[in-house]
C-alpha cells in the first residue's frame, strides 16, 4: 500500500508540471518524465510482489509438482533408443501436457489477475483516478507479469527436460523457441481478457481448457484460431528430423516453423495493442 501511495504520489508530482507554461514548463519536463518513470517502476515492483505472493502461485505449483511426479515415474531417461525416447517425451509430455496445459495455466494465473485482480478488488479505481497515464499503468502491469510467467514456464521446462535425460536435453534445445513464443502469446491474450471481461479468470480458464482444445483439434482452417496449434506445428516440424512422429494429416496438418512463429508473434502484438486500446478508452463502471 505504501509503495502504491508512493507511485501515485510520483504521478501527482508529474502532473503538477503539466500546468506550467513557458521556460518553466520546459525546465520541469525532465522532472515530470523522471517522476513518471519512478511511478512506473514502483507500480511494477508492487504488482510483481502482489502476483508472486498470491494464492495463484500455490495453485500453479500443484500442476508443476504433478508434472515432476509424472516424469519421475515415467523415466524417459531409461529408454535406450534416443529417437524413441524423444518421440515419447515429445508426444506424451511436452505437447500433450506441458504445452497444452502448463503453459496456458501459468499465463492465465498471472496475466488475468495483474489487472483483473485490481478490478475484482476495486483497487483499480485508485489507479485510474490518479494522474498516471493509463498506458503507463497497463505497461507496469504487463512488465510485472512477463518475468514472473516466463521464469516459471521456462524454468520448469528446463527442470523437466533435465529429469528426462538425453531426450529431455535435446527437447529443450528444439522446443524452447516454441514454448517462449506460446508463453508471450498467452500472456498478451489473457491481458486482453482481463481488460475486456468482468470475470476474466473464468473466461480465460474456459478458453484455455476447452476452446483451445476443441479449436486446435478441429479439421480445416478453424484450428488456426488456437495458440496451441501454432506451438504444436513448430514443435512437430523441429522434432521431425529427430524421430518425432507427425500426427495423422487428416486431423492435423502443421504449418511451417516460420509461419507458426510469425502467427504467435502477431497474436501477441495484436492482443497487446487491442488490450491497450480497450484499457485506454473503457470506463469501468463496475468499480464503484
Amino acid at each position: 500500500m505504501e509503495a502504491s501511495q508512493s507511485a501515485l504520489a510520483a504521478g501527482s508530482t508529474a502532473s503538477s508540471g503539466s500546468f506550467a507554461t513557458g521556460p518553466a514548463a520546459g525546465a520541469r519536463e525532465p522532472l515530470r518524465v523522471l517522476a513518471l518513470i519512478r511511478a512506473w517502476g514502483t507500480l511494477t515492483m508492487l504488482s510483481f510482489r502482489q502476483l508472486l505472493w498470491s494464492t495463484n502461485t500455490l495453485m500453479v505449483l500443484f500442476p508443476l509438482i504433478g508434472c515432476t511426479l509424472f516424469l519421475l515415474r515415467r523415466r524417459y531417461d531409461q529408454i535406450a533408443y534416443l529417437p524413441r525416447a524423444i518421440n515419447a517425451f515429445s508426444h506424451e509430455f511436452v505437447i500433450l501436457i506441458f504445452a497444452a496445459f502448463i503453459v496456458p495455466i501459468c499465463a492465465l494465473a498471472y496475466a488475468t489477475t495483474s489487472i483483473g485482480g485490481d478490478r475484482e478488488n476495486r483497487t483499480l479505481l485508485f489507479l485510474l483516478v490518479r494522474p498516471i497515464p493509463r498506458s503507463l499503468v497497463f505497461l507496469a502491469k504487463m512488465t510485472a507479469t512477463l518475468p514472473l510467467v516466463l521464469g516459471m514456464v521456462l524454468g520448469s521446462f528446463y527442470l523437466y527436460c533435465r529429469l528426462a535425460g538425453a531426450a529431455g536435453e535435446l527437447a529443450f534445445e528444439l522446443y524452447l523457441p516454441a514454448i517462449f513464443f506460446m508463453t508471450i502469446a498467452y500472456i498478451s491474450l489473457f491481458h486482453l481478457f482481463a481488460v475486456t471481461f468482468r470475470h476474466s479468470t473464468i473466461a480465460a480458464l474456459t478458453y484455455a481448457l476447452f476452446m483451445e482444445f476443441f479449436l486446435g483439434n478441429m479439421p480445416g482452417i478453424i484450428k488456426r484460431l488456437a495458440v496451441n496449434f501454432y506451438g504444436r506445428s513448430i514443435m512437430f516440424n523441429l522434432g521431425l528430423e529427430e524421430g518425432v512422429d507427425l500426427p495423422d494429416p487428416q486431423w492435423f496438418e502443421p504449418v511451417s516453423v516460420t509461419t507458426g512463429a510469425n502467427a504467435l508473434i502477431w497474436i501477441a502484438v495484436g492482443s497487446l495493442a487491442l488490450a491497450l486500446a480497450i484499457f485506454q478508452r473503457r470506463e469501468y463502471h463496475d468499480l464503484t
Side-chain angles (χ1 to χ4, degrees), residues 7-259:
L8 301 180
S12 301
T13 304
S15 70
S16 64
S18 62
F19 296 102
T21 58
R28 292 179 181 177
E29 188 61 22
L31 296 177
R32 178 176 178 274
V33 173
L34 288 176
L36 286 176
I37 293 175
R38 187 163 65 91
W40 167 78
T42 305
L43 185 57
T44 300
M45 291 304 300
L46 174 65
S47 301
F48 181 84
R49 288 199 296 267
Q50 286 178 334
L51 291 172
L52 179 62
W53 304 109
S54 65
T55 55
N56 289 343
T57 300
L58 290 177
M59 294 176 63
V60 169
L61 286 179
F62 283 112
L64 293 180
I65 294 172
C67 288
T68 304
L69 297 176
F70 171 81
L71 290 172
L72 290 175
R73 182 169 180 79
R74 183 64 177 82
R75 300 304 303 267
Y76 292 100
D77 55 333
Q78 292 188 351
I79 300 178
Y81 188 48
L82 183 58
R84 192 171 64 181
I86 184 69
N87 184 55
F89 180 66
S90 300
H91 278 278
E92 295 175 2
F93 181 77
V94 179
I95 295 174
L96 184 62
I97 298 177
F98 193 82
F101 183 68
I102 297 297
V103 176
I105 286 295
C106 289
L108 78 86
Y110 297 109
T112 56
T113 54
S114 66
I115 292 177
D118 286 318
R119 192 175 173 184
E120 292 288 338
N121 298 328
R122 300 187 178 182
T123 53
L124 184 61
L125 177 66
F126 295 99
L127 294 177
L128 298 184
V129 299
R130 292 290 179 171
I132 303 175
R134 285 194 175 196
S135 58
L136 208 60
V137 174
F138 183 86
L139 181 63
K141 295 293 184 179
M142 185 75 181
T143 307
T145 308
L146 270 174
L148 188 57
V149 179
L150 283 174
M152 190 162 290
V153 170
L154 300 184
S156 62
F157 185 57
Y158 173 78
L159 292 176
Y160 295 149
C161 289
R162 297 289 295 181
L163 288 176
E169 293 177 6
L170 180 57
F172 184 79
E173 295 178 3
L174 289 174
Y175 305 143
L176 183 61
I179 297 298
F180 175 80
F181 287 129
M182 287 181 68
T183 306
I184 296 295
Y186 276 124
I187 291 173
S188 299
L189 185 62
F190 291 141
H191 270 86
L192 176 60
F193 276 66
V195 301
T196 305
F197 299 111
R198 176 70 173 83
H199 301 289
S200 57
T201 301
I202 297 175
L205 196 62
T206 304
Y207 172 80
L209 297 184
F210 297 101
M211 295 300 295
E212 278 270 301
F213 175 79
F214 286 112
L215 290 176
N217 290 284
M218 290 187 70
I221 63 172
I222 195 169
K223 62 170 61 71
R224 299 195 177 196
L225 296 174
V227 172
N228 185 270
F229 166 74
Y230 297 105
R232 283 187 295 165
S233 293
I234 296 174
M235 288 186 275
F236 278 130
N237 279 302
L238 293 178
L240 184 61
E241 294 184 357
E242 304 297 336
V244 176
D245 296 331
L246 288 176
D248 188 345
Q250 181 180 358
W251 296 100
F252 189 88
E253 187 173 355
V255 296
S256 67
V257 173
T258 303
T259 302

